[in-house]
Amino acid sequence: MDLDPKLAAYSTGDPTSFAFQTARERWPIIITQAIDDAYRTVGDCDDGVKCDEGKKIVADLAELKYEVQHDRALKPIRDDGFPDVAGYNQELAQLGPVTWLNAPWLFTECYLFRRISTSFSLSTHWKSYDVFARQKIKTFRSSRPAVLELAARYKDLVTQLRSASPHDPEADKLLFTEMCEVCLWGNATDLSLLTSLTYEDIQKLQGSEARRAAEKNILVNDLPAVYAHLLAAKADPAKARAERRVDIVLDNAGFELYVDLILAGYLLSAGLATTVVLHPKSIPWFVSDVLPGDFASLLTALADPRRFYETPTEEDTLQGIEPEKLTEKEVEELAFLFSEWSTFHGEGQLVLRPNRVWTRPGSFWRLPEEAKDVVDDIREGELVVFKGDLNYRKLVGDVAWDPTTPFTEALGPLGPGSGLNVLALRTCKADVVVGLQPGVDEKLKNMDGGGGDSGARKWGWNGKWAVVSFSKGT
């Protein structure tokens, strides 16, 4: 706590904060979904001991839901053998007596998911169970049209990138922008801007209506500086034979992980990186965050797409729905992705590196003191990309910055001078935001549903707006 920014943290007790709504509406739903999932698995269980443990977990989760809804005091986390328990409980003690509906938002939400994890990790038969896995898979299946569209475009683009034909520097730059923007928006975009994406006509997209519509919602866009940074590293003779690494601290599984891999594969194919290191979570986290098993599940789906997409789900069977068959071309394009990504992974160019540091309760301002080894590791790369809203909140401390505060300042010890080249790709789904030009926050608040004079920054709650912020470590 002592290492965090010295500003007021967003609180679940503040009616003008998205934290207020999250604690009262979203958290009970999340816990209910976890209860339903565990109960369903218990119902399918034929091992008596495992079944009894599952029932105990369901009871634990029901008690947790009761605590949240009745604004009980936060209790110390039970010791399940992992070292982060001491950090959580020490911070809880420093906060003093706090209740669910009047506590620092960032800490309390992290505490919530750590409590859920503890119920499983204290068991014998459920230690590795991901209570959110069904939701992740269902969401990825529902993204089928976008998955197939991107697979087709990716195959064409990579094939052309590796051809001997001359490359247009401006087209290369625009292609980088497109790939990063697809990664930014994840499943928040309909991908309409990619309908005619080929290397030759990439420049046509600059003036397209879809591209303009997407770009106008990016309130801060530092992608040109990021591209120049990676291009300079690629051209540097001193780095010609050295590893040029990009790290990606992941956010959501499913389609968002899919587009993260699209970006990773593009960076490797375009020579903008020689290695991409992916940083997933180690425990089920914020419902949809990536675990190492989600990477394996995605590759398994691509390895046998007919089985994944054409096998009816339980809901399909109940509704008498027969999934549409994939075409041979679609299967071939998905097979190309599987071959590319599994080869990169097998040859050590695409690496997974989970670490429990990403599921600690506090801001990333603490990393240089509390996780020096992690900071030293990611400092070796050319760029570290932090995906999503939660990573952004942790980067800047989830405190009430003036929205015109420079991103480099809000990064604190991870900003200039840290040796870290930081890129945040974030669609706004919380209150905190920095790096805006003067007057932008006021303008957005005055739009319909933006918050007006209520004191709430409601425009920043729905993922419609985004920031792409870059800080050089030198």
Side-chain angles (χ1 to χ4, degrees):
M1 290 173 64
D2 293 339
L3 301 171
D4 293 338
K6 306 306 179 189
L7 292 168
Y10 288 101
S11 168
T12 59
D14 178 3
T16 69
S17 170
F18 191 43
F20 190 88
Q21 178 179 324
T22 295
R24 289 156 179 79
E25 298 177 17
R26 293 172 59 222
W27 288 351
I29 292 173
I30 288 169
I31 302 170
T32 299
Q33 290 171 338
I35 291 170
D36 290 346
D37 179 275
Y39 184 82
R40 176 178 173 184
T41 303
V42 168
D44 294 335
C45 179
D46 54 10
D47 181 320
V49 176
K50 181 178 180 179
C51 183
D52 288 343
E53 278 194 338
K55 291 177 181 177
K56 175 63 169 60
I57 290 170
V58 169
D60 281 351
L61 296 177
E63 181 181 346
L64 177 63
K65 179 181 175 182
Y66 179 90
E67 290 177 23
V68 173
Q69 290 185 308
H70 292 80
D71 197 21
R72 295 296 190 252
L74 274 64
K75 303 185 300 189
I77 293 175
R78 292 173 290 170
D79 188 359
D80 58 5
F82 291 100
D84 62 337
V85 172
Y88 269 96
N89 289 341
Q90 180 181 357
E91 185 159 349
L92 183 58
Q94 290 175 340
L95 287 171
V98 290
T99 62
W100 283 95
L101 304 184
N102 190 22
W105 183 20
L106 180 60
F107 172 83
T108 310
E109 195 156 25
C110 292
Y111 168 92
L112 167 67
F113 286 95
R114 188 61 179 84
R115 277 278 302 271
I116 292 173
S117 174
T118 306
S119 295
F120 292 90
S121 59
L122 283 171
S123 71
T124 299
H125 298 279
W126 296 75
K127 288 184 184 296
S128 60
Y129 185 77
D130 182 0
V131 73
F132 305 118
R134 281 192 181 96
Q135 295 180 58
K136 297 177 190 177
I137 293 170
K138 181 179 179 180
T139 301
F140 186 58
R141 279 179 61 102
S142 70
S143 302
R144 169 175 164 163
V147 168
L148 298 177
E149 172 68 21
L150 264 181
R153 302 308 172 195
Y154 181 85
K155 181 175 184 292
D156 289 344
L157 284 165
V158 168
T159 301
Q160 292 174 69
L161 276 172
R162 293 174 181 165
S163 70
S165 58
H167 287 193
D168 178 348
E170 186 61 24
D172 284 339
K173 181 179 180 180
L174 286 169
L175 178 55
F176 172 81
T177 301
E178 291 296 331
M179 287 296 178
C180 289
E181 288 186 5
V182 168
C183 191
L184 164 70
W185 291 111
N187 55 12
T189 179
D190 63 2
L191 300 180
S192 59
L193 71 166
L194 296 175
T195 53
S196 59
L197 182 58
T198 64
Y199 188 80
E200 285 81 2
D201 65 9
I202 183 76
Q203 289 169 295
K204 297 177 184 177
L205 287 171
Q206 176 122 33
S208 73
E209 182 178 347
R211 180 176 174 80
R212 286 198 304 271
E215 282 201 328
K216 73 178 177 61
N217 286 354
I218 303 177
L219 304 173
V220 177
N221 195 341
D222 291 337
L223 285 178
V226 179
Y227 182 67
H229 170 73
L230 292 177
L231 207 59
K234 180 181 179 181
D236 186 347
K239 298 181 178 180
R241 297 186 179 181
E243 179 186 59
R244 287 178 289 104
R245 169 177 146 192
V246 172
D247 291 76
I248 304 177
V249 182
L250 300 169
D251 187 29
N252 294 322
F255 184 69
E256 185 166 345
L257 175 59
Y258 179 80
V259 296
D260 291 341
L261 292 172
I262 290 282
L263 177 62
Y266 158 73
L267 292 172
L268 293 169
S269 298
L272 293 172
T274 60
T275 307
V276 175
V277 179
L278 305 174
H279 298 268
K281 307 300 190 297
S282 299
I283 60 174
W285 192 246
F286 280 65
V287 181
S288 56
D289 278 31
V290 180
L291 302 180
D294 296 319
F295 178 79
S297 296
L298 193 151
L299 287 185
T300 299
L302 296 179
D304 191 355
R306 289 197 187 281
R307 180 178 181 181
F308 182 73
Y309 282 118
E310 295 180 6
T311 302
T313 64
E314 290 183 21
E315 290 180 8
D316 291 337
T317 302
L318 288 173
Q319 297 175 24
I321 296 173
E322 188 70 26
E324 186 179 349
K325 303 296 183 185
L326 295 172
T327 67
E328 290 299 326
K329 181 174 180 292
E330 289 168 341
V331 171
E332 177 188 337
E333 288 159 351
L334 292 173
F336 179 85
L337 281 184
F338 174 77
S339 175
E340 286 280 300
W341 296 345
S342 58
T343 298
F344 283 140
H345 184 51
E347 294 182 353
Q349 290 182 276
L350 188 62
V351 180
L352 259 69
R353 194 168 294 167
N355 193 307
R356 280 192 170 248
V357 72
W358 309 120
T359 53
R360 290 180 183 175
S363 78
F364 292 156
W365 280 47
R366 306 176 185 184
L367 292 182
E369 291 287 333
E370 297 182 354
K372 184 177 182 299
D373 56 334
V374 172
V375 175
D376 289 345
D377 176 47
I378 60 178
R379 189 183 283 122
E380 293 179 8
E382 296 296 333
L383 181 70
V384 54
V385 183
F386 288 88
K387 287 293 306 296
D389 190 74
L390 177 62
N391 281 325
Y392 184 93
R393 289 169 60 197
K394 288 199 162 199
L395 280 172
V396 302
D398 203 43
V399 296
W401 292 104
D402 184 294
T404 63
T405 304
F407 178 66
T408 50
E409 178 184 335
L411 284 178
L414 300 186
S418 68
L420 295 175
N421 300 306
V422 173
L423 170 64
L425 295 178
R426 183 246 189 159
T427 55
C428 302
K429 299 175 184 175
D431 303 272
V432 66
V433 65
V434 296
L436 301 188
Q437 292 297 311
V440 171
D441 181 45
E442 292 79 5
K443 178 182 176 182
L444 293 171
K445 283 182 177 177
N446 287 328
M447 296 177 67
D448 186 34
D453 296 328
S454 67
R457 186 173 288 133
K458 291 185 178 181
W459 66 261
W461 298 356
N462 57 22
K464 177 181 177 181
W465 303 95
V467 289
V468 178
S469 301
F470 178 53
S471 171
K472 281 188 72 89
T474 53

